[in-house]
């Protein structure tokens, strides 16, 4: 890639062992590279979501490090180290689900079960695979990862002597974390055109054609849907933080399970339009795709998206 992260010389880090446990986005990218290499060698469609996730993570990595396009605008996060660490933990949750699927172990959630089973079928719609993975990872995993990080920070504040100072710092901490959480929305939307290019190049299908046919509406839907569900994630994080007993936390997790499962079912069988789009994508994939490369090439050799041609630039109120 020309403007973000190059992983060619990196190998899976010291924290991996037999299981991937990345501590930040750089380590997460190393782990993703290793798993993509394995999935490519097996021509396994579970590589579809992981490759999109790799592209997203390169953007987050660039944002927290202030390189590439983010070098021109300066820091966009209050606490980039926190974003970097949470993204690493977030990736670990994905790797747990992937390993459970590859070893036929009990899935971490019903949403991940549907996503992994559909990917294991091979030859399904690229778009369907992508949406199922995004749903499971955001609507189930993300609240768990963010809650774990913030809870540790809040526990550290309890060592202070002044209750009023604890309350003040708690409110400040939550506000800062919410700001950075929202900043990531725009970083992820910024990765959307690159994801379309890379998945189309590697797996075929009709994602690029569908994006062209629907004009800017696909980007509007992407942006509004992403923002809505990431807002839902934050509400669930607050739900976890408000729990006093394990039974309360179990209720929040059950809601995550139910909501992500319902969304996965809707993605798969949400009506005639879903069926038509997936059938078109699947047909185009078989019609014009070249076989998946046996070796994953970690550098995403696609041209940087031309900012002057962005259809959504005037809609995104962002500082970069």
């Amino acid at each position: 890639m020309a403007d973000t992260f190059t992983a060619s010389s990196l190998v899976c880090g010291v924290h991996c062992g037999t299981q991937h446990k990345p501590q930040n986005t750089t380590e997460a990218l190393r782990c993703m590279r290793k798993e993509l290499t394995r999935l490519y060698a097996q021509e396994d469609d579970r590589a579809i979501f992981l490759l999109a996730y790799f592209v997203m993570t390169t953007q987050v990595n660039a944002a927290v490090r202030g390189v590439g396009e983010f070098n021109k605008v300066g820091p966009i996060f209050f606490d980039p180290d926190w974003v970097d660490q949470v993204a690493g933990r977030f990736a670990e949750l994905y790797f747990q689900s992937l390993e459970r699927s590859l070893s036929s172990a009990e899935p971490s959630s019903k949403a991940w079960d549907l996503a992994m089973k559909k990917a294991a079928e091979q030859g399904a719609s690229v778009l369907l695979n992508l949406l199922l993975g995004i749903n499971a990872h955001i609507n189930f995993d993300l609240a768990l990862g963010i809650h774990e990080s913030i809870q540790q920070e809040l526990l550290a504040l309890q060592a202070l002597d002044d209750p009023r100072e604890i309350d003040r710092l708690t409110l400040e901490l939550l506000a800062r974390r919410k700001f950075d959480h929202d900043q990531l929305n725009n970083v992820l939307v910024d990765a959307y055109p690159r994801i379309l290019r890379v998945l189309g190049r590697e797996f075929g299908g009709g994602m690029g054609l569908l994006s062209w046919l629907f004009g800017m509406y696909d980007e509007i839907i992407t942006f509004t849907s992403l923002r809505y569900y990431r807002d839902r994630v934050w509400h669930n994080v607050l739900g976890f933080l408000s729990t006093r007993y394990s039974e309360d936390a179990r209720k929040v997790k059950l809601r995550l399970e139910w909501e992500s499962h319902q969304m996965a079912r809707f993605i798969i069988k949400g009506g005639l339009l879903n069926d038509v789009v997936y059938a078109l994508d699947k047909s185009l994939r078989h019609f014009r795709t070249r076989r998946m490369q046996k070796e994953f090439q970690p550098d995403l050799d696609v041209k940087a998206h031309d900012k002057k041609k962005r259809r959504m630039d005037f809609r995104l109120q962002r500082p970069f």
Side-chain angles (χ1 to χ4, degrees), residues 193-306:
R194 187 184 293 274
I195 290 172
L196 291 183
R197 281 194 184 85
V198 172
L199 292 186
R201 181 195 67 194
E202 296 295 298
F203 304 104
M207 291 182 63
L209 175 62
L210 292 169
S211 178
W212 177 77
L213 288 174
F214 286 108
M216 73 178 179
Y217 292 105
D218 68 314
E219 295 191 28
I220 292 173
I221 292 171
T222 299
F223 178 62
T224 56
S225 298
L226 180 67
R227 183 172 59 183
Y228 171 77
Y229 285 109
R230 283 178 59 87
D231 280 344
R232 292 286 299 163
V233 166
W234 189 259
H235 292 311
N236 286 319
V237 169
L238 295 179
F240 273 122
L241 293 174
S242 70
T243 60
R244 297 183 178 181
Y245 310 102
S246 59
E247 177 61 21
D248 291 339
R250 188 183 72 85
K251 292 175 183 177
V252 179
K253 191 171 183 178
L254 281 175
R255 187 169 80 174
L256 295 181
E257 174 84 32
W258 184 84
E259 289 180 346
S260 59
H261 183 223
Q262 293 303 306
M263 180 54 65
R265 292 176 61 189
F266 174 77
I267 289 171
I268 295 173
K269 296 183 177 180
L272 179 61
L273 181 59
N274 291 43
D275 295 339
V276 171
V277 169
Y278 298 147
L280 175 62
D281 184 43
K282 183 176 179 179
S283 297
L284 287 173
R285 182 180 183 188
H286 289 291
F287 175 72
R288 68 181 184 86
T289 188
R290 58 184 175 83
R291 296 294 291 173
M292 186 194 303
Q293 296 294 318
K294 283 288 189 178
E295 182 179 356
F296 170 59
Q297 302 295 325
D299 289 334
L300 306 179
D301 53 343
V302 292
K303 294 180 180 179
H305 196 50
D306 186 353

Side-chain angles (χ1 to χ4, degrees), residues 156-180:
L157 293 180
Q158 298 305 310
L160 300 176
D161 295 328
D162 187 348
R164 289 179 298 181
E165 183 68 1
I166 292 175
D167 291 342
R168 185 188 70 79
L169 291 175
T170 296
L171 292 175
E172 180 183 288
L173 177 68
L174 292 176
R176 292 176 69 87
R177 298 298 177 252
K178 179 62 165 63
F179 177 85
D180 284 349

Side-chain angles (χ1 to χ4, degrees), residues 46 65 100 129 211 295 297 317:
R46 279 169 282 209
R65 294 165 62 218
R100 285 172 179 269
N129 272 285
S211 178
E295 182 179 356
Q297 302 295 325
Q317 298 177 1

Side-chain angles (χ1 to χ4, degrees), residues 13-288:
V14 295
H15 294 291
C16 291
T18 57
Q19 296 181 330
H20 297 296
K21 296 183 180 294
Q23 305 297 300
N24 51 52
T25 55
T26 299
E27 292 186 11
L29 288 166
R30 295 171 181 171
C31 298
M32 290 176 187
R33 181 185 186 277
K34 181 176 182 179
E35 288 305 320
L36 281 167
T37 299
R38 172 164 67 151
L39 294 174
Y40 264 59
Q42 299 170 355
E43 297 191 13
D44 191 325
D45 273 0
R46 279 169 282 209
I48 292 174
F49 170 71
L50 182 52
L51 183 56
Y53 192 17
F54 185 88
V55 177
M56 295 178 199
T57 306
T58 62
Q59 289 293 92
V60 178
N61 180 268
V64 299
R65 294 165 62 218
V67 300
E69 66 182 276
F70 302 99
N71 184 46
K72 302 176 182 178
V73 297
I76 65 169
F77 299 116
F78 283 150
D79 298 297
D81 287 343
W82 177 79
V83 175
D84 202 23
Q85 292 166 8
V86 169
R89 170 57 179 155
F90 187 34
E92 181 183 348
L93 294 173
Y94 163 76
F95 288 123
Q96 290 173 1
S97 295
L98 176 63
E99 188 57 40
R100 285 172 179 269
S101 175
L102 292 171
S103 62
S104 299
E106 182 179 355
S108 56
S109 71
K110 293 179 180 179
W112 270 124
D113 187 36
L114 289 177
M116 294 295 182
K117 284 181 177 178
K118 183 60 65 173
E121 290 178 5
Q122 302 299 111
S125 163
V126 176
L127 178 61
L128 176 58
N129 272 285
L130 175 64
L131 293 177
L132 288 173
I134 289 175
N135 167 64
H137 203 30
I138 289 181
N139 291 329
F140 185 77
D141 289 348
L142 186 53
L144 297 172
I146 294 176
H147 163 250
E148 179 184 274
S149 174
I150 294 179
Q151 185 180 47
Q152 293 174 354
E153 293 181 290
L154 293 178
L155 287 174
L157 293 180
Q158 298 305 310
L160 300 176
D161 295 328
D162 187 348
R164 289 179 298 181
E165 183 68 1
I166 292 175
D167 291 342
R168 185 188 70 79
L169 291 175
T170 296
L171 292 175
E172 180 183 288
L173 177 68
L174 292 176
R176 292 176 69 87
R177 298 298 177 252
K178 179 62 165 63
F179 177 85
D180 284 349
H181 176 73
D182 290 344
Q183 283 291 78
L184 270 174
N185 294 346
N186 290 328
V187 174
L188 298 177
V189 169
D190 198 48
Y192 176 68
R194 187 184 293 274
I195 290 172
L196 291 183
R197 281 194 184 85
V198 172
L199 292 186
R201 181 195 67 194
E202 296 295 298
F203 304 104
M207 291 182 63
L209 175 62
L210 292 169
S211 178
W212 177 77
L213 288 174
F214 286 108
M216 73 178 179
Y217 292 105
D218 68 314
E219 295 191 28
I220 292 173
I221 292 171
T222 299
F223 178 62
T224 56
S225 298
L226 180 67
R227 183 172 59 183
Y228 171 77
Y229 285 109
R230 283 178 59 87
D231 280 344
R232 292 286 299 163
V233 166
W234 189 259
H235 292 311
N236 286 319
V237 169
L238 295 179
F240 273 122
L241 293 174
S242 70
T243 60
R244 297 183 178 181
Y245 310 102
S246 59
E247 177 61 21
D248 291 339
R250 188 183 72 85
K251 292 175 183 177
V252 179
K253 191 171 183 178
L254 281 175
R255 187 169 80 174
L256 295 181
E257 174 84 32
W258 184 84
E259 289 180 346
S260 59
H261 183 223
Q262 293 303 306
M263 180 54 65
R265 292 176 61 189
F266 174 77
I267 289 171
I268 295 173
K269 296 183 177 180
L272 179 61
L273 181 59
N274 291 43
D275 295 339
V276 171
V277 169
Y278 298 147
L280 175 62
D281 184 43
K282 183 176 179 179
S283 297
L284 287 173
R285 182 180 183 188
H286 289 291
F287 175 72
R288 68 181 184 86

